[in-house]
Amino acid sequence: AWPRTPSGASQPAPHVWMSTTCSFASAVCRWVVVFPIAAKNYLRGDAGDARELDGLLSAGEIDELFAAPNQCLYALDTMRCLVNAWAARAAKSAPPELVAQSFAALARQLDALTGTFGGMERINNTPLPFVYVSHLRTSLLVYLTVVPFIFGEAWGWFTPILALVVAWALLGIEAAAVECERPVRGCANHMPLEAFCAVVADNVRQTLQHSAGMGVKLRRRIWDAPPTPVRRVRLGTSVPPPTPPRTPGR
């Protein structure tokens, strides 16, 4: 679920920026960047570092986020409230059909983020069954205990060394399974959640910059485009093909 978070968390940004006013767009986009940070704090069981949220939230918003039992759900609920407030205000002045389509698109993106968080939570909170772990470790203990006695005659003086090699291989596999049981902790073998958060922030920043630049270009194209001539045709007559431009020299 986490590998989908950078792309999934970045998807609401273009819809928000193209569908809302600057105040609502900036607020929702800030919380889009906060979402993976809140997910990281919740999955790791950390209260969070306020320095990661500098420039994104105010001091009061940071305190409210850290005080929430589930920071990720708090970020999602905040984005939903912002989108609902925008839709209620925009419905008074904008065409209802356009507001409904934009609201539905934003709601789908937020639902996708909620599903992504649910998948991460299930992975993090679903340990290996106790009966499987106990049976596996009991079998390893019994096997490694009887290995020297079974192969001692064949291995001779190399029995201690070879028994250690076998124990290292089997216990290493068991330790790797324990490491993969919760892949979101801050160890070297776990997923780099900090890098994912940075990717989401960079993607949102790039999307906002590109959207702002494209808005200026589109307005220039509309303003600078020559007017299209209107050709009147009577009903029941065929439209003649346009005359190709004459090439100089012919």
Side-chain angles (χ1 to χ4, degrees):
W2 254 107
R4 295 198 304 268
T5 301
S7 59
S10 305
Q11 289 178 0
H15 293 282
V16 170
W17 191 254
M18 299 303 294
S19 305
T20 66
T21 58
C22 293
S23 58
F24 282 103
S26 60
V28 176
C29 289
R30 286 190 291 108
W31 281 99
V32 167
V33 179
V34 171
F35 169 78
I37 300 176
K40 173 179 68 67
N41 296 337
Y42 174 76
L43 294 175
R44 288 183 176 177
D46 298 334
D49 188 359
R51 293 175 297 179
E52 294 180 333
L53 302 173
D54 288 342
L56 295 173
L57 302 178
S58 62
E61 291 174 332
I62 293 175
D63 294 338
E64 293 178 358
L65 177 65
F66 287 170
N70 191 324
Q71 297 184 18
C72 197
L73 290 182
Y74 182 86
L76 290 170
D77 292 340
T78 302
M79 287 188 283
R80 292 185 188 277
C81 292
L82 290 172
V83 172
N84 291 335
W86 164 79
R89 178 179 297 184
K92 299 178 181 179
S93 57
E97 297 81 3
L98 181 60
V99 175
Q101 292 177 1
S102 301
F103 179 78
L106 293 171
R108 286 193 299 269
Q109 298 300 332
L110 292 178
D111 292 341
L113 285 181
T114 305
T116 301
F117 169 69
M120 294 185 293
E121 190 175 22
R122 288 192 298 270
I123 293 174
N124 189 57
N125 296 334
T126 304
L128 294 175
F130 175 76
V131 62
Y132 172 81
V133 176
S134 61
H135 180 73
L136 176 62
R137 292 179 178 176
T138 302
S139 301
L140 284 176
L141 178 62
V142 173
Y143 179 78
L144 295 177
T145 301
V146 301
V147 159
F149 300 99
I150 296 177
F151 298 98
E153 183 177 357
W155 292 348
W157 292 101
F158 295 99
T159 300
I161 299 176
L162 295 178
L164 288 176
V165 172
V166 173
W168 171 80
L170 296 179
L171 294 178
I173 295 174
E174 198 275 336
V178 174
E179 285 289 312
C180 296
E181 185 178 4
R182 296 188 63 185
V184 297
R185 291 178 291 181
C187 300
N189 296 321
H190 297 150
M191 291 189 295
L193 304 188
E194 291 81 2
F196 291 162
C197 296
V199 169
V200 171
D202 291 339
N203 290 346
V204 172
R205 176 182 56 81
Q206 178 182 348
T207 300
L208 296 182
Q209 291 178 350
H210 180 70
S211 300
M214 286 301 296
V216 175
K217 293 179 181 178
L218 290 176
R219 286 193 296 269
R220 289 178 179 176
R221 291 177 183 176
I222 295 174
W223 292 340
D224 299 339
T228 303
V230 178
R231 304 176 61 188
R232 297 182 180 180
V233 181
R234 293 182 181 180
L235 295 177
T237 60
S238 60
V239 179
T243 304
R246 300 182 59 184
T247 305
R250 291 187 178 180

